[in-house]
PDB file of all heavy atoms in Angstrom:
ATOM      1  N   GLU O  36     108.875  70.014  96.008  1.00  0.00           N
ATOM      2  CA  GLU O  36     107.535  69.783  95.601  1.00  0.00           C
ATOM      3  C   GLU O  36     107.282  68.490  94.831  1.00  0.00           C
ATOM      4  O   GLU O  36     106.162  68.130  94.576  1.00  0.00           O
ATOM      5  CB  GLU O  36     107.130  70.926  94.611  1.00  0.00           C
ATOM      6  CG  GLU O  36     107.077  72.321  95.299  1.00  0.00           C
ATOM      7  CD  GLU O  36     108.448  73.067  95.200  1.00  0.00           C
ATOM      8  OE1 GLU O  36     109.506  72.396  95.137  1.00  0.00           O
ATOM      9  OE2 GLU O  36     108.416  74.345  95.088  1.00  0.00           O
ATOM     10  N   ALA O 110     120.165  80.212  94.506  1.00  0.00           N
ATOM     11  CA  ALA O 110     118.979  80.961  94.914  1.00  0.00           C
ATOM     12  C   ALA O 110     118.638  80.628  96.370  1.00  0.00           C
ATOM     13  O   ALA O 110     118.203  81.534  97.021  1.00  0.00           O
ATOM     14  CB  ALA O 110     117.743  80.506  94.000  1.00  0.00           C
ATOM     15  N   HIS O 166     111.449  74.839  88.924  1.00  0.00           N
ATOM     16  CA  HIS O 166     110.599  75.860  89.289  1.00  0.00           C
ATOM     17  C   HIS O 166     110.032  76.668  88.070  1.00  0.00           C
ATOM     18  O   HIS O 166     109.404  77.725  88.333  1.00  0.00           O
ATOM     19  CB  HIS O 166     111.110  76.795  90.329  1.00  0.00           C
ATOM     20  CG  HIS O 166     111.182  76.194  91.675  1.00  0.00           C
ATOM     21  ND1 HIS O 166     111.884  76.655  92.678  1.00  0.00           N
ATOM     22  CD2 HIS O 166     110.605  75.028  92.188  1.00  0.00           C
ATOM     23  CE1 HIS O 166     111.777  75.897  93.761  1.00  0.00           C
ATOM     24  NE2 HIS O 166     110.995  74.866  93.503  1.00  0.00           N
ATOM     25  N   SER O 167     110.154  76.247  86.876  1.00  0.00           N
ATOM     26  CA  SER O 167     109.569  76.951  85.733  1.00  0.00           C
ATOM     27  C   SER O 167     108.378  76.084  85.398  1.00  0.00           C
ATOM     28  O   SER O 167     108.393  74.859  85.373  1.00  0.00           O
ATOM     29  CB  SER O 167     110.567  77.056  84.559  1.00  0.00           C
ATOM     30  OG  SER O 167     111.601  77.931  84.886  1.00  0.00           O
ATOM     31  N   LYS O 168     107.269  76.799  85.028  1.00  0.00           N
ATOM     32  CA  LYS O 168     106.132  76.162  84.473  1.00  0.00           C
ATOM     33  C   LYS O 168     106.167  76.091  82.996  1.00  0.00           C
ATOM     34  O   LYS O 168     106.327  77.184  82.413  1.00  0.00           O
ATOM     35  CB  LYS O 168     104.856  76.815  84.992  1.00  0.00           C
ATOM     36  CG  LYS O 168     104.574  76.515  86.503  1.00  0.00           C
ATOM     37  CD  LYS O 168     103.148  76.997  86.807  1.00  0.00           C
ATOM     38  CE  LYS O 168     102.822  76.651  88.259  1.00  0.00           C
ATOM     39  NZ  LYS O 168     101.479  77.115  88.672  1.00  0.00           N
ATOM     40  N   HIS O 243     117.935  78.344  76.459  1.00  0.00           N
ATOM     41  CA  HIS O 243     118.518  79.644  76.381  1.00  0.00           C
ATOM     42  C   HIS O 243     119.235  79.770  75.068  1.00  0.00           C
ATOM     43  O   HIS O 243     119.176  80.807  74.343  1.00  0.00           O
ATOM     44  CB  HIS O 243     119.572  79.833  77.496  1.00  0.00           C
ATOM     45  CG  HIS O 243     119.026  79.713  78.905  1.00  0.00           C
ATOM     46  ND1 HIS O 243     117.782  80.119  79.218  1.00  0.00           N
ATOM     47  CD2 HIS O 243     119.542  79.167  80.010  1.00  0.00           C
ATOM     48  CE1 HIS O 243     117.527  79.825  80.485  1.00  0.00           C
ATOM     49  NE2 HIS O 243     118.651  79.348  81.045  1.00  0.00           N
ATOM     50  N   GLU O 246     117.254  80.456  71.920  1.00  0.00           N
ATOM     51  CA  GLU O 246     116.805  81.813  71.862  1.00  0.00           C
ATOM     52  C   GLU O 246     117.941  82.782  71.549  1.00  0.00           C
ATOM     53  O   GLU O 246     117.827  83.726  70.733  1.00  0.00           O
ATOM     54  CB  GLU O 246     116.056  82.267  73.127  1.00  0.00           C
ATOM     55  CG  GLU O 246     115.370  83.592  73.008  1.00  0.00           C
ATOM     56  CD  GLU O 246     114.318  83.802  74.113  1.00  0.00           C
ATOM     57  OE1 GLU O 246     113.889  82.808  74.709  1.00  0.00           O
ATOM     58  OE2 GLU O 246     114.059  84.947  74.411  1.00  0.00           O
ATOM     59  N   ALA O 330     120.162  96.829  90.646  1.00  0.00           N
ATOM     60  CA  ALA O 330     120.122  97.496  91.948  1.00  0.00           C
ATOM     61  C   ALA O 330     119.813  96.396  92.960  1.00  0.00           C
ATOM     62  O   ALA O 330     118.981  95.536  92.655  1.00  0.00           O
ATOM     63  CB  ALA O 330     119.071  98.533  91.903  1.00  0.00           C
ATOM     64  N   GLY O 332     118.118  94.198  95.608  1.00  0.00           N
ATOM     65  CA  GLY O 332     116.704  94.037  96.131  1.00  0.00           C
ATOM     66  C   GLY O 332     116.725  94.026  97.654  1.00  0.00           C
ATOM     67  O   GLY O 332     117.803  94.289  98.249  1.00  0.00           O
ATOM     68  N   LYS O 333     115.658  93.595  98.139  1.00  0.00           N
ATOM     69  CA  LYS O 333     115.615  93.499  99.681  1.00  0.00           C
ATOM     70  C   LYS O 333     116.008  92.091 100.069  1.00  0.00           C
ATOM     71  O   LYS O 333     115.420  91.175  99.579  1.00  0.00           O
ATOM     72  CB  LYS O 333     114.137  93.843 100.146  1.00  0.00           C
ATOM     73  CG  LYS O 333     113.988  93.905 101.634  1.00  0.00           C
ATOM     74  CD  LYS O 333     112.643  94.549 101.941  1.00  0.00           C
ATOM     75  CE  LYS O 333     112.356  94.433 103.416  1.00  0.00           C
ATOM     76  NZ  LYS O 333     111.269  93.551 103.804  1.00  0.00           N
ATOM     77  N   GLN O 336     114.816  88.132 105.517  1.00  0.00           N
ATOM     78  CA  GLN O 336     115.106  88.335 106.917  1.00  0.00           C
ATOM     79  C   GLN O 336     114.229  87.365 107.718  1.00  0.00           C
ATOM     80  O   GLN O 336     113.243  86.936 107.220  1.00  0.00           O
ATOM     81  CB  GLN O 336     114.885  89.786 107.305  1.00  0.00           C
ATOM     82  CG  GLN O 336     113.520  90.311 106.936  1.00  0.00           C
ATOM     83  CD  GLN O 336     113.340  91.735 107.241  1.00  0.00           C
ATOM     84  OE1 GLN O 336     114.125  92.316 107.895  1.00  0.00           O
ATOM     85  NE2 GLN O 336     112.286  92.341 106.701  1.00  0.00           N
ATOM     86  N   ALA O 443     110.941  74.834 108.332  1.00  0.00           N
ATOM     87  CA  ALA O 443     110.444  76.113 107.818  1.00  0.00           C
ATOM     88  C   ALA O 443     111.022  76.617 106.546  1.00  0.00           C
ATOM     89  O   ALA O 443     110.263  77.033 105.578  1.00  0.00           O
ATOM     90  CB  ALA O 443     110.590  77.205 108.906  1.00  0.00           C
ATOM     91  N   MET O 444     112.331  76.514 106.410  1.00  0.00           N
ATOM     92  CA  MET O 444     113.018  77.127 105.272  1.00  0.00           C
ATOM     93  C   MET O 444     112.501  76.572 103.965  1.00  0.00           C
ATOM     94  O   MET O 444     112.472  77.308 103.016  1.00  0.00           O
ATOM     95  CB  MET O 444     114.474  76.751 105.436  1.00  0.00           C
ATOM     96  CG  MET O 444     115.357  77.262 104.373  1.00  0.00           C
ATOM     97  SD  MET O 444     115.794  79.077 104.715  1.00  0.00           S
ATOM     98  CE  MET O 444     114.836  79.807 103.465  1.00  0.00           C
TER      99      MET O 444
ATOM    100  N   ASP E  21     101.256  83.036  88.499  1.00  0.00           N
ATOM    101  CA  ASP E  21     100.599  81.726  88.164  1.00  0.00           C
ATOM    102  C   ASP E  21      99.274  81.948  87.509  1.00  0.00           C
ATOM    103  O   ASP E  21      98.936  81.266  86.475  1.00  0.00           O
ATOM    104  CB  ASP E  21     100.252  81.010  89.533  1.00  0.00           C
ATOM    105  CG  ASP E  21     101.450  80.187  90.000  1.00  0.00           C
ATOM    106  OD1 ASP E  21     102.325  79.794  89.160  1.00  0.00           O
ATOM    107  OD2 ASP E  21     101.462  79.830  91.234  1.00  0.00           O
ATOM    108  N   LYS E  35     105.423  79.963  79.230  1.00  0.00           N
ATOM    109  CA  LYS E  35     106.472  79.521  80.262  1.00  0.00           C
ATOM    110  C   LYS E  35     106.550  80.565  81.423  1.00  0.00           C
ATOM    111  O   LYS E  35     106.426  81.728  81.149  1.00  0.00           O
ATOM    112  CB  LYS E  35     107.882  79.378  79.618  1.00  0.00           C
ATOM    113  CG  LYS E  35     107.904  78.121  78.701  1.00  0.00           C
ATOM    114  CD  LYS E  35     109.259  77.744  78.201  1.00  0.00           C
ATOM    115  CE  LYS E  35     109.159  76.508  77.300  1.00  0.00           C
ATOM    116  NZ  LYS E  35     110.408  76.059  76.764  1.00  0.00           N
ATOM    117  N   LYS E  36     106.793  80.015  82.607  1.00  0.00           N
ATOM    118  CA  LYS E  36     106.814  80.898  83.739  1.00  0.00           C
ATOM    119  C   LYS E  36     108.001  80.593  84.537  1.00  0.00           C
ATOM    120  O   LYS E  36     108.324  79.323  84.911  1.00  0.00           O
ATOM    121  CB  LYS E  36     105.558  80.634  84.515  1.00  0.00           C
ATOM    122  CG  LYS E  36     105.264  81.760  85.589  1.00  0.00           C
ATOM    123  CD  LYS E  36     104.474  81.186  86.751  1.00  0.00           C
ATOM    124  CE  LYS E  36     105.414  80.922  87.889  1.00  0.00           C
ATOM    125  NZ  LYS E  36     104.781  80.955  89.194  1.00  0.00           N
ATOM    126  N   VAL E  39     112.038  82.378  91.207  1.00  0.00           N
ATOM    127  CA  VAL E  39     113.061  81.877  92.136  1.00  0.00           C
ATOM    128  C   VAL E  39     112.334  81.985  93.489  1.00  0.00           C
ATOM    129  O   VAL E  39     111.900  83.102  93.875  1.00  0.00           O
ATOM    130  CB  VAL E  39     114.313  82.618  92.063  1.00  0.00           C
ATOM    131  CG1 VAL E  39     115.197  82.221  93.278  1.00  0.00           C
ATOM    132  CG2 VAL E  39     115.100  82.325  90.793  1.00  0.00           C
ATOM    133  N   HIS E  40     112.155  80.912  94.166  1.00  0.00           N
ATOM    134  CA  HIS E  40     111.699  81.000  95.536  1.00  0.00           C
ATOM    135  C   HIS E  40     112.536  80.180  96.547  1.00  0.00           C
ATOM    136  O   HIS E  40     113.576  79.577  96.056  1.00  0.00           O
ATOM    137  CB  HIS E  40     110.180  80.708  95.619  1.00  0.00           C
ATOM    138  CG  HIS E  40     109.738  79.310  95.165  1.00  0.00           C
ATOM    139  ND1 HIS E  40     108.616  79.099  94.469  1.00  0.00           N
ATOM    140  CD2 HIS E  40     110.359  78.145  95.328  1.00  0.00           C
ATOM    141  CE1 HIS E  40     108.520  77.805  94.264  1.00  0.00           C
ATOM    142  NE2 HIS E  40     109.593  77.214  94.704  1.00  0.00           N
ATOM    143  N   GLY E  41     112.091  80.142  97.701  1.00  0.00           N
ATOM    144  CA  GLY E  41     112.924  79.394  98.722  1.00  0.00           C
ATOM    145  C   GLY E  41     113.157  80.347  99.797  1.00  0.00           C
ATOM    146  O   GLY E  41     112.679  80.156 100.936  1.00  0.00           O
ATOM    147  N   MET E  42     113.744  81.533  99.544  1.00  0.00           N
ATOM    148  CA  MET E  42     113.941  82.602 100.522  1.00  0.00           C
ATOM    149  C   MET E  42     112.721  83.458 100.466  1.00  0.00           C
ATOM    150  O   MET E  42     112.679  84.371 101.315  1.00  0.00           O
ATOM    151  CB  MET E  42     115.235  83.319 100.209  1.00  0.00           C
ATOM    152  CG  MET E  42     116.467  82.515 100.261  1.00  0.00           C
ATOM    153  SD  MET E  42     116.841  81.822 101.866  1.00  0.00           S
ATOM    154  CE  MET E  42     117.914  83.079 102.559  1.00  0.00           C
ATOM    155  N   ARG E  45     110.618  84.813 103.339  1.00  0.00           N
ATOM    156  CA  ARG E  45     111.287  85.632 104.425  1.00  0.00           C
ATOM    157  C   ARG E  45     111.189  87.138 104.187  1.00  0.00           C
ATOM    158  O   ARG E  45     112.012  87.885 104.619  1.00  0.00           O
ATOM    159  CB  ARG E  45     112.719  85.255 104.624  1.00  0.00           C
ATOM    160  CG  ARG E  45     113.065  83.871 105.113  1.00  0.00           C
ATOM    161  CD  ARG E  45     112.108  82.971 105.735  1.00  0.00           C
ATOM    162  NE  ARG E  45     111.928  81.842 104.930  1.00  0.00           N
ATOM    163  CZ  ARG E  45     111.017  80.944 105.031  1.00  0.00           C
ATOM    164  NH1 ARG E  45     110.089  81.019 105.964  1.00  0.00           N
ATOM    165  NH2 ARG E  45     110.910  79.884 104.276  1.00  0.00           N
ATOM    166  N   GLY E  46     110.287  87.580 103.336  1.00  0.00           N
ATOM    167  CA  GLY E  46     110.046  89.029 103.125  1.00  0.00           C
ATOM    168  C   GLY E  46     111.077  89.674 102.155  1.00  0.00           C
ATOM    169  O   GLY E  46     111.098  90.890 102.010  1.00  0.00           O
ATOM    170  N   GLY E  47     111.902  88.870 101.537  1.00  0.00           N
ATOM    171  CA  GLY E  47     112.872  89.466 100.601  1.00  0.00           C
ATOM    172  C   GLY E  47     112.258  89.779  99.187  1.00  0.00           C
ATOM    173  O   GLY E  47     111.061  89.436  98.998  1.00  0.00           O
ATOM    174  N   SER E  48     113.059  90.301  98.274  1.00  0.00           N
ATOM    175  CA  SER E  48     112.570  90.552  96.989  1.00  0.00           C
ATOM    176  C   SER E  48     112.178  89.253  96.273  1.00  0.00           C
ATOM    177  O   SER E  48     112.854  88.326  96.354  1.00  0.00           O
ATOM    178  CB  SER E  48     113.685  91.230  96.112  1.00  0.00           C
ATOM    179  OG  SER E  48     114.036  92.449  96.753  1.00  0.00           O
ATOM    180  N   ARG E  54     105.992  84.452  80.140  1.00  0.00           N
ATOM    181  CA  ARG E  54     106.138  84.653  78.732  1.00  0.00           C
ATOM    182  C   ARG E  54     105.107  83.864  78.003  1.00  0.00           C
ATOM    183  O   ARG E  54     104.881  82.641  78.265  1.00  0.00           O
ATOM    184  CB  ARG E  54     107.522  84.200  78.239  1.00  0.00           C
ATOM    185  CG  ARG E  54     108.705  84.581  79.181  1.00  0.00           C
ATOM    186  CD  ARG E  54     109.997  84.238  78.520  1.00  0.00           C
ATOM    187  NE  ARG E  54     110.377  85.095  77.498  1.00  0.00           N
ATOM    188  CZ  ARG E  54     111.428  84.935  76.665  1.00  0.00           C
ATOM    189  NH1 ARG E  54     112.245  83.919  76.840  1.00  0.00           N
ATOM    190  NH2 ARG E  54     111.743  85.789  75.711  1.00  0.00           N
ATOM    191  N   SER E  61     113.372  80.053  76.180  1.00  0.00           N
ATOM    192  CA  SER E  61     113.833  80.128  77.508  1.00  0.00           C
ATOM    193  C   SER E  61     112.715  80.634  78.422  1.00  0.00           C
ATOM    194  O   SER E  61     111.856  81.447  77.972  1.00  0.00           O
ATOM    195  CB  SER E  61     114.920  81.157  77.675  1.00  0.00           C
ATOM    196  OG  SER E  61     115.226  81.437  79.020  1.00  0.00           O
ATOM    197  N   PRO E  82     115.404  97.267  91.256  1.00  0.00           N
ATOM    198  CA  PRO E  82     115.992  95.969  91.099  1.00  0.00           C
ATOM    199  C   PRO E  82     115.593  95.254  89.824  1.00  0.00           C
ATOM    200  O   PRO E  82     116.301  94.310  89.380  1.00  0.00           O
ATOM    201  CB  PRO E  82     115.542  95.206  92.329  1.00  0.00           C
ATOM    202  CG  PRO E  82     115.184  96.270  93.318  1.00  0.00           C
ATOM    203  CD  PRO E  82     114.689  97.423  92.539  1.00  0.00           C
TER     204      PRO E  82
END
Side-chain angles (χ1 to χ4, degrees):
Chain O
E36 297 91 328
H166 284 169
S167 292
K168 285 192 175 179
H243 303 325
E246 188 163 339
K333 188 167 171 247
Q336 54 185 346
M444 183 79 250
Chain E
D21 274 338
K35 291 192 178 177
K36 196 207 100 154
V39 169
H40 60 219
M42 300 296 268
R45 297 341 119 191
S48 298
R54 315 185 75 187
S61 171

